[in-house]
Amino acid sequence: MSAVGSRDVARAAIRMALTESRDQEKEMKARFMKMAIKTAAVDHGGDFIASVNKITERAVVAAKREGVIREVHADEGAVAGATREALSQIMPKALGLNVGGKIGIARYQDHISVAVFFGVGLLHLDEVAIGLGHRAVSS
């Protein structure tokens, strides 16, 4: 097994955000666990501006629930910061519109990545956006 680095963790977060079902999430989670990468995913939808805090909270709660992070300030802050970074990347497309999709979270040792994969828009006139944030935290 080759060394796992920040790009591998980012790739895992993106793949978790791209899963289409709970079964696929479980399958991907098991695959990444074999590489010692802890993962989580959570769905989200709603008005972008009103949802930024809720999306961040959902990412932190999912990461704690799935054992990706410990319930310590540094880990929670790393997930929140990476989530905010990912959201800032899609903000130009999403301001004033609705978003819906999935948040993927991955961790290997000191590396934490959060990916957001959202449809952005109104009715059936959706744009698609993906954002990615990374933080390093002591393991």
Side-chain angles (χ1 to χ4, degrees), residues 39-44 51-70 75-87 102-106 112-116 118:
T39 58
V42 61
D43 295 319
H44 182 76
S51 297
V52 170
N53 287 339
K54 184 58 90 178
I55 293 167
T56 305
E57 289 171 9
R58 289 182 72 114
V60 172
V61 168
K64 285 194 291 190
R65 181 185 65 233
E66 298 297 323
V68 175
I69 62 170
R70 296 164 294 161
D75 285 6
E76 292 172 356
V79 171
T83 303
R84 298 286 291 207
E85 172 63 27
L87 291 172
K102 194 171 279 190
I103 306 157
I105 306 139
I112 296 176
S113 286
V114 177
V116 294
F118 289 151

Side-chain angles (χ1 to χ4, degrees), residues 9-117:
V9 177
R11 192 176 293 116
I14 292 167
R15 287 187 175 147
M16 289 301 291
L18 294 174
T19 58
E20 296 182 43
S21 67
R22 295 282 180 232
D23 289 338
Q24 192 177 23
E25 271 179 38
K26 288 177 187 175
E27 180 183 315
M28 293 298 287
K29 185 174 179 155
R31 180 195 291 174
F32 288 124
M33 189 54 82
K34 289 178 184 174
M35 299 168 51
I37 299 173
K38 297 177 182 179
T39 58
V42 61
D43 295 319
H44 182 76
D47 175 68
F48 180 76
I49 294 171
S51 297
V52 170
N53 287 339
K54 184 58 90 178
I55 293 167
T56 305
E57 289 171 9
R58 289 182 72 114
V60 172
V61 168
K64 285 194 291 190
R65 181 185 65 233
E66 298 297 323
V68 175
I69 62 170
R70 296 164 294 161
E71 198 165 326
V72 297
H73 187 72
D75 285 6
E76 292 172 356
V79 171
T83 303
R84 298 286 291 207
E85 172 63 27
L87 291 172
S88 74
Q89 294 170 11
I90 68 167
M91 190 177 300
K93 285 185 176 186
L95 278 177
L97 299 171
N98 289 319
V99 296
K102 194 171 279 190
I103 306 157
I105 306 139
R107 179 181 191 163
Y108 177 79
Q109 295 178 355
D110 294 350
H111 301 287
I112 296 176
S113 286
V114 177
V116 294
F117 179 65

